[in-house]
Amino acid sequence: MRDTAGQALAAAAAAQTWPGLRVRPELRATLLLLAPMLLFIFLSRFFVSTDPDYWWHVRTGQYIYETGSLPRVDTYSYTAAGRPWVTHEWLTELLLYVLYRQFGYVANVVWFGLVTALTWATVYASCRRRGMGEIGATALMFWGFVMAAAAANVRPQAWTTLFLAVCALLLTRYKQGEVRALWLLLPLLALWVNLHGGYVIGLALLGLTIVGEALARGLGRPAAPLRPLLAVAVLSTAATLLNPHGFEALVYPFSYAGTGNASMQYLNEWQSPDFHVSYLLIFAASLLPGLVLGLGRRPLGPTEAFWALAFAFMGLQSVRHIPLYAVIVMPLLGARLQAEIPVFRRRLAAWRRPQLLTVTWPLLAVALLSVASQAKLAGPQVGREPSAVTYPVGAVTYLREHDLQGNLFNQYHWGGYLIDQLYPQRQVFIDGRADVYGDAFVRNYVDVSRLRPNWRQVLDDYEVRLVLVEKDSPLAVVLGGDSNWQEVYNGEVERLFARRFGHREVVVPR
């Protein structure tokens, strides 16, 4: 009777608070909170600088489209030419090229904007499943989005973030008694393995769930049936074989395992978060409530504790994993918050307008500040071609117009752009496919870029005659004062050097 009376009072309050809005509370929450936030999340993708790997992804999609086959070995570089290449993102690359070919880069921004919005809508649904009210779920969703925003771009990894969020929602529904939800994992993983190699994280989440539910059963706590979980785990693993690379695609993700992996040692996104960087404090702040409240307590269980521990460890190990942490842990954090602090489970109908504004306005202020900071890096990406403001546009034009001979050394994050602009007339030294080049070669690149003692020997070993680097980089400064090298172009962000032969300067046609 008390619950019925409380619902009646909430409905009466809602009628007074929103006298002109005659819609169901769920729809009202969508119109007033969720839809505007998702629209902002979608539009924010238009103000993000072009991802360095976008360029070679599109060029690979073009190859697949025009030849009807997948590239199996590297042809983009002269340093790794002929080495095996597992194009584990082939379907994403094909779709990137088709959309670009038909409508331009803006179509890919729209596509990935929708993927991003759908990701956080899924997180919102998980928060609601965990008992949060509409306002609390929206706040947790937006917190997670801001935490992960630095990694959001037109890049295949976005699929892994979305599908992991969907996996968590389906497993949550299964634990709550919806057995049929579990079987949706089969087609999901069959598609995921062709879009991005991060599908293995979905299998890992399923494995953690099996262990967690088995432990809960052993402790005498409520647990989901294990037999369907085991069956789906076996069938989902088999479903990942439905890809052009077969078993190779299953082995590929494990190439990043181990402490000696050069990508994880040297690439920024694989590094542990530096909490002196302000935006990473948003991630740190999410760890504190979990430590205080404990994510293994009511209404959560062993499974959720395993999820939280595993993905918190991943987030602390690598900035690249923070979005994965966000989509998994924010709903779990919400479950604990609503269990301990009743306001987080309060429904929208029970809020008065002034109270609502005190929650939504801070969120909107953070959103506007985020857009303003992003807009300084890249204007709205609404054209046919992606923004290239941070890429060596002038040097590329110069190389096209002048017949400079010899191998080119280039910055790692410019390799994809050079592939798109100069291949096949010129091959690159390195690009974002670190797995293709191998750990030893990546270390050679780092030796040159950081001017380690053997840097000249590396350039000699690969017969480098041209060097294209950022204009204020250590290598540019040293080559600028080296009599063996001649600066032939100085652009907005880059400097291009040519090796002298004997005491002769390079003769460049004018």
Side-chain angles (χ1 to χ4, degrees):
M1 291 294 294
R2 288 182 179 178
D3 290 343
T4 303
Q7 291 174 2
L9 289 173
Q16 293 177 359
T17 305
W18 311 95
L21 199 58
R22 304 296 182 183
V23 294
R24 292 184 294 109
E26 293 80 4
L27 181 58
R28 186 184 308 148
T30 301
L31 294 174
L32 294 177
L33 291 171
L34 185 60
M37 285 296 180
L38 292 178
L39 179 61
F40 166 77
I41 289 171
F42 168 75
L43 293 176
S44 68
R45 298 306 89 203
F46 288 83
F47 294 90
V48 177
S49 300
T50 310
D51 187 77
D53 291 338
Y54 170 80
W55 314 91
W56 67 258
H57 282 311
V58 171
R59 179 54 76 103
T60 304
Q62 180 181 0
Y63 176 92
I64 297 169
Y65 180 86
E66 292 176 351
T67 67
S69 62
L70 302 184
R72 303 286 181 173
V73 297
D74 174 53
T75 58
Y76 293 150
S77 75
Y78 63 89
T79 52
R83 292 196 61 169
W85 177 19
V86 179
T87 49
H88 62 100
E89 303 155 320
W90 73 272
L91 184 55
T92 302
E93 291 162 342
L94 177 60
L95 294 172
L96 282 170
Y97 174 70
V98 170
L99 283 176
Y100 168 76
R101 184 172 181 266
Q102 294 296 323
F103 307 107
Y105 180 70
V106 66
N108 283 320
V109 177
V110 170
W111 172 26
F112 278 83
L114 291 172
V115 168
T116 306
L118 184 56
T119 299
W120 297 105
T122 304
V123 172
Y124 173 87
S126 289
C127 289
R128 298 284 288 122
R129 280 272 171 177
R130 296 287 183 179
M132 298 203 75
E134 296 93 339
I135 294 177
T138 303
L140 267 290
M141 175 197 76
F142 191 72
W143 186 357
F145 163 71
V146 174
M147 188 190 312
N153 210 322
V154 179
R155 59 190 314 195
Q157 289 92 324
W159 286 115
T160 285
T161 309
L162 169 60
F163 286 166
L164 184 64
V166 173
C167 279
L169 178 59
L170 292 176
L171 288 169
T172 300
R173 290 174 57 185
Y174 174 71
K175 282 170 53 63
Q176 294 175 348
E178 298 182 25
V179 178
R180 291 183 179 180
L182 192 63
W183 296 97
L184 293 175
L185 291 173
L186 299 180
L188 182 75
L189 281 155
L191 178 61
W192 192 349
V193 71
N194 291 289
L195 291 167
H196 186 249
Y199 74 91
V200 72
I201 301 174
L203 294 176
L205 187 71
L206 187 53
L208 289 172
T209 305
I210 293 171
V211 174
E213 294 307 296
L215 180 59
R217 185 178 297 272
L219 294 173
R221 301 180 62 174
L226 285 178
R227 185 173 296 177
L229 276 172
L230 291 168
V232 168
V234 172
L235 293 174
S236 296
T237 303
T240 59
L241 291 171
L242 299 176
N243 71 86
H245 294 286
F247 188 72
E248 277 186 297
L250 273 68
V251 175
Y252 169 79
F254 297 97
S255 66
Y256 285 87
T259 57
N261 186 280
S263 296
M264 301 185 75
Q265 287 184 8
Y266 299 116
L267 303 187
N268 288 336
E269 67 174 349
W270 287 104
Q271 304 305 301
S272 298
D274 178 2
F275 292 118
H276 292 91
V277 179
S278 58
Y279 79 88
L280 289 173
L281 292 176
I282 301 170
F283 167 56
S286 72
L287 296 170
L288 298 179
L291 291 173
V292 173
L293 298 174
L295 292 181
R297 300 174 58 195
R298 185 181 61 87
L300 306 177
T303 294
E304 288 81 3
F306 285 146
W307 288 8
L309 288 171
F311 284 90
F313 174 78
M314 290 172 63
L316 289 169
Q317 183 189 47
S318 169
V319 172
R320 182 186 174 102
H321 293 146
I322 290 178
L324 308 182
Y325 162 88
V327 300
I328 292 295
V329 175
M330 297 314 286
L332 305 183
L333 181 59
R336 287 295 298 128
L337 287 171
Q338 66 85 21
E340 300 292 338
I341 308 173
V343 70
F344 281 96
R345 59 177 179 268
R346 184 186 298 178
R347 299 297 300 274
L348 180 66
W351 287 77
R352 294 181 182 275
R353 186 175 299 176
Q355 293 172 316
L356 182 61
L357 292 179
T358 61
V359 174
T360 55
W361 277 109
L363 293 178
L364 291 175
V366 171
L368 291 173
L369 288 173
S370 175
V371 168
S373 63
Q374 295 274 4
K376 294 178 182 179
L377 299 177
Q381 297 250 34
V382 294
R384 179 166 183 83
E385 299 299 326
S387 170
V389 293
T390 60
Y391 294 91
V393 178
V396 165
T397 302
Y398 188 90
L399 286 168
R400 285 201 188 111
E401 294 176 350
H402 300 86
D403 185 23
L404 300 185
Q405 301 296 315
N407 293 333
L408 173 72
F409 175 91
N410 59 272
Q411 296 274 176
Y412 176 88
H413 54 276
W414 287 346
Y417 177 73
L418 297 176
I419 289 170
D420 181 71
Q421 297 293 311
L422 299 176
Y423 180 81
Q425 286 75 25
R426 187 180 292 277
Q427 295 173 303
V428 298
F429 185 87
I430 195 171
D431 63 87
R433 300 166 302 134
D435 54 304
V436 174
Y437 292 94
D439 295 344
F441 180 81
V442 172
R443 292 189 184 95
N444 282 336
Y445 166 79
V446 172
D447 289 346
V448 176
S449 62
R450 296 184 181 179
L451 299 177
R452 289 178 176 170
N454 65 324
W455 70 272
R456 294 183 188 274
Q457 186 60 50
V458 173
L459 295 183
D460 291 341
D461 290 345
Y462 289 99
E463 300 181 354
V464 172
R465 294 290 178 265
L466 302 167
V467 171
L468 176 60
V469 288
E470 292 176 333
K471 63 187 314 175
D472 296 323
S473 66
L475 184 57
V477 173
V478 169
L479 294 184
D482 191 328
S483 60
N484 293 315
W485 293 85
Q486 174 189 353
E487 182 181 287
V488 295
Y489 184 83
N490 192 322
E492 292 292 326
V493 299
E494 76 277 29
R495 294 171 74 181
L496 176 63
F497 297 90
R499 190 190 291 262
R500 300 177 191 269
F501 298 94
H503 296 288
R504 296 183 295 111
E505 293 192 356
V506 177
V507 179
V508 179
R510 299 293 182 182

